């Protein structure tokens, strides 16, 4: 069932012992939303934990908080558009047990009992900020760091088309409430590990163009991880690179998984719809940033993806 | 003489036939401020032109406006910290003739008759927004594009330590007034020409580290411009790269000029003061982003710069 923000707030107020779920391959928005909401619920005297499907990537560990001991009664999902994005462990346990989902993906499949979805929000954390304000919680600097992280990472630091005046004003308010915006920005956007820098160079070396330069493809193989010393956790930045080349409307990054199949990140400029492309292939996301899993070998995956993109150009 | 904003506004109201000067190697802030102020003065029924020392870089041409015919009576400088930054043609004509300077550089040398300097502003365009509001001018989408461009470019799209809540709120207001934020961001931050991408790879190939990795140096030679097909106008993005490597406190880019000498862009993380380093070498700028000219050959320039940086590490 779709609900509005005041119903979501009432639900949170009238429940306790929360497990908050984040999505697999956690990013700044799902983590910032999860930990921000968790801290706010605790500030109301409730028990709450964030449960992640896998270990936090090192760059996000500053968001982490100590778990509490309690018997779980209420399950909330943040920034999760569909159960398929939960990650296997969380999905196995919680697929049919989510009481409330708070999300900003237009493609949200309403898998929870109650679903509050605001696709006008640039980040789930922008929604969580409103929720926390309506809960009457005083936002601490730690909560502000969480929510700022969510907003800044999901907007490429206020760069993408999903930014609205409300996004910028929420960020301004979070700075006033003590968010260490500049430190977070340096950590998220101005820091490349040496291993990432090495991976980036390998990725750029192999960039391919299709459809008169309208589509650019970067492929990251396990061998490139080995050569650079980098890994999956460092790939987010690379997904943005191919779309940046002048004339490119669709930038694609294919990343080899441990089992030899590929995961694709698709970034587009308007009017090309990344979400439509990825939905065709069983994935989903936003109009300008989406993803999907691809079957088969590198050659098969590339052909399937590039052919599909061709239909949208 | 230092003045406050209301004196600056009074001055603009009571004068006419403006020439607005921008600094050499014009960036988004000096151009956005200049054209934004020019449009606002024209909206008041005054005559005003922007005068640049050199042709606009292609990426900024969307800001350009048609010049008017009139006899110049009043000279205003925007985003110019010192006459040495005017560029030779403008300096020769206007060095001692600037009536009003509006700037946000703490290092401003107060070269004009009247100087309104607010170093708390992330961009000169943030100040111009306040000035235009106090002039009582209704901000058009075209003016909003100019001012948004100034603010976004001088903050790395809201990423740098100079951003304050006021910066974000000004940007939010400019979006509401019609600034095409997302298009401007794509143009400024998400677009690499193929020639720039080629230059970037050459630059990264030659990156050197000093002082246990605390200082990274990129050197761009004329030969690299020739090989990549790129030029000076495309170097801004590269200046940010070296500071991004993990552990680097001072990122330096040296760029070879036509005469074989080098210009340095110095970017730092706190607590290292880029402005102090560059001031020692006859340049200046902001605490985390500054620049200077270097005498001598590449080897001499490198030694001078790296030795000077060593004193600040």
């Amino acid at each position: 069932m779709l609900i509005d923000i005041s119903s979501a707030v009432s639900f949170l107020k009238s429940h306790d012992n929360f497990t908050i779920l984040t999505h697999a391959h956690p990013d700044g928005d799902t983590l910032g939303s999860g930990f921000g909401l968790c801290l706010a619920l605790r500030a109301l005297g409730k028990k709450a934990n964030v449960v992640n499907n896998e270990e936090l990537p090192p760059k996000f560990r500053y968001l982490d908080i100590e778990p509490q001991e309690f018997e779980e009664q209420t399950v909330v999902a943040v920034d999760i558009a569909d159960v398929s994005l939960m990650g296997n462990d969380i999905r196995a346990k919680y697929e049919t047990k989510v009481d409330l989902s708070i999300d900003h993906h237009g493609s949200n499949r309403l898998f929870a009992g109650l679903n509050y979805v605001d696709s006008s929000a640039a980040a789930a954390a922008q929604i969580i900020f409103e929720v926390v304000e309506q809960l009457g919680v005083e936002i601490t600097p730690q909560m502000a760091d969480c929510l700022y992280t969510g907003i800044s990472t999901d907007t490429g630091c206020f760069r993408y088309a999903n930014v609205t005046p409300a996004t910028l004003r929420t960020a301004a308010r979070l700075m006033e409430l003590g968010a260490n915006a500049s430190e977070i920005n340096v950590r998220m956007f101005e820091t490349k590990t040496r291993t990432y820098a090495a991976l980036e160079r390998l990725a750029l070396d192999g960039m391919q163009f299709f459809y008169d330069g309208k589509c650019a493809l970067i492929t990251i193989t396990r061998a490139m991880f080995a050569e650079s010393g980098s890994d999956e956790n460092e790939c987010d930045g690379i997904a943005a690179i191919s779309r940046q080349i002048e004339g490119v409307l669709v930038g694609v990054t294919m990343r080899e998984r441990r089992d030899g199949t590929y995961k694709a990140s698709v970034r587009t400029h308007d009017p090309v719809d990344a979400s439509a492309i990825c939905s065709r292939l069983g994935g989903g996301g936003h109009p300008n940033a989406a993803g999907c899993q691809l079957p088969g070998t590198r050659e098969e995956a590339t052909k399937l993806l590039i052919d599909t993109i061709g239909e949208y150009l």
Side-chain angles (χ1 to χ4, degrees), chain A:
Chain A
M1 189 169 92
L2 267 172
I3 60 170
D4 63 10
I5 187 166
S6 59
S7 303
V9 169
S10 298
F11 177 89
L12 293 170
K13 277 186 178 164
S14 60
H15 288 73
D16 203 345
N17 292 20
F18 291 91
T19 290
I20 301 169
L21 307 179
T22 60
H23 65 66
H25 306 295
D27 60 12
D29 193 26
T30 199
L31 294 174
S33 296
F35 288 116
L37 179 60
C38 186
L39 290 166
L41 292 169
R42 290 185 186 178
L44 286 174
K46 297 176 185 293
K47 300 283 188 188
N49 283 333
V50 176
V51 172
N52 303 298
N53 194 67
E54 56 249 335
E55 223 185 319
L56 296 198
K59 71 190 284 201
F60 292 121
R61 289 205 187 123
Y62 70 100
L63 296 170
D64 207 2
I65 56 181
E66 281 293 312
Q68 295 179 319
E69 291 286 332
F70 59 85
E71 198 170 316
E72 169 185 302
Q73 292 169 353
T74 318
V75 180
V76 180
V78 289
D79 196 40
I80 304 181
D82 183 36
V83 294
S84 65
L85 302 168
M86 284 180 166
N88 293 339
D89 295 351
I90 285 189
R91 183 171 183 174
K93 188 162 174 194
Y94 293 106
E95 174 159 12
T96 61
K97 293 183 185 153
V98 180
D99 301 299
L100 172 64
S101 164
I102 302 178
D103 188 28
H104 71 124
H105 294 85
S107 58
N108 187 291
R109 299 204 185 168
L110 311 182
F111 58 86
L114 302 171
N115 300 274
Y116 174 51
V117 180
D118 176 2
S119 63
S120 77
Q126 189 181 330
I127 305 175
I128 300 293
F129 173 81
E130 287 177 55
V131 167
V132 172
E133 281 209 314
Q134 293 199 23
L135 282 170
V137 173
E138 195 179 327
I139 294 179
T140 62
Q142 191 185 3
M143 292 178 211
D145 277 348
C146 292
L147 300 179
Y148 183 89
T149 299
I151 293 173
S152 66
T153 53
D154 250 30
T155 59
C157 212
F158 311 103
R159 187 181 281 198
Y160 300 152
N162 59 356
V163 172
T164 64
T167 315
L168 293 166
R169 289 205 175 92
T170 303
R173 190 78 194 104
L174 290 169
M175 285 185 76
E176 286 166 344
L177 291 165
N180 293 301
S182 128
E183 281 174 43
I184 292 169
N185 293 343
V186 166
R187 178 186 275 259
M188 294 296 137
F189 305 107
E190 293 282 316
T191 305
K192 293 180 180 177
T193 60
R194 292 228 194 174
T195 51
Y196 172 80
L199 179 66
E200 194 179 61
R201 279 183 52 199
L202 292 174
L204 288 174
D205 281 342
M207 186 156 57
Q208 297 169 273
F209 292 90
F210 300 89
Y211 306 118
D212 293 329
K214 291 197 191 77
C215 173
L217 170 68
I218 284 173
T219 306
I220 300 172
T221 63
R222 306 299 305 174
M224 288 161 69
F225 283 141
E227 185 178 342
S228 62
S230 185
D231 62 28
E232 287 86 350
N233 291 324
E234 298 194 322
C235 284
D236 283 357
I238 288 181
I241 293 176
S242 53
R243 185 181 58 179
Q244 291 175 346
I245 307 290
E246 199 170 27
V248 170
L249 289 174
V250 185
V252 187
T253 306
M254 278 179 27
R255 189 176 83 209
E256 186 180 350
R257 286 144 50 99
R258 287 180 196 285
D259 66 1
T261 64
Y262 283 80
K263 181 179 186 301
S265 294
V266 178
R267 305 288 181 93
T268 58
H269 288 304
D270 290 332
V272 186
D273 186 341
S275 178
I277 293 168
C278 290
S279 293
R280 276 277 304 283
L281 298 167
H286 301 283
N288 297 122
C292 59
Q293 310 286 347
L294 296 165
T297 64
R298 175 172 174 176
E299 288 65 30
E300 289 162 348
T302 305
K303 181 168 191 327
L304 175 63
L305 185 59
I306 298 300
D307 285 352
T308 306
I309 288 168
E311 296 174 35
Y312 290 85
L313 279 176

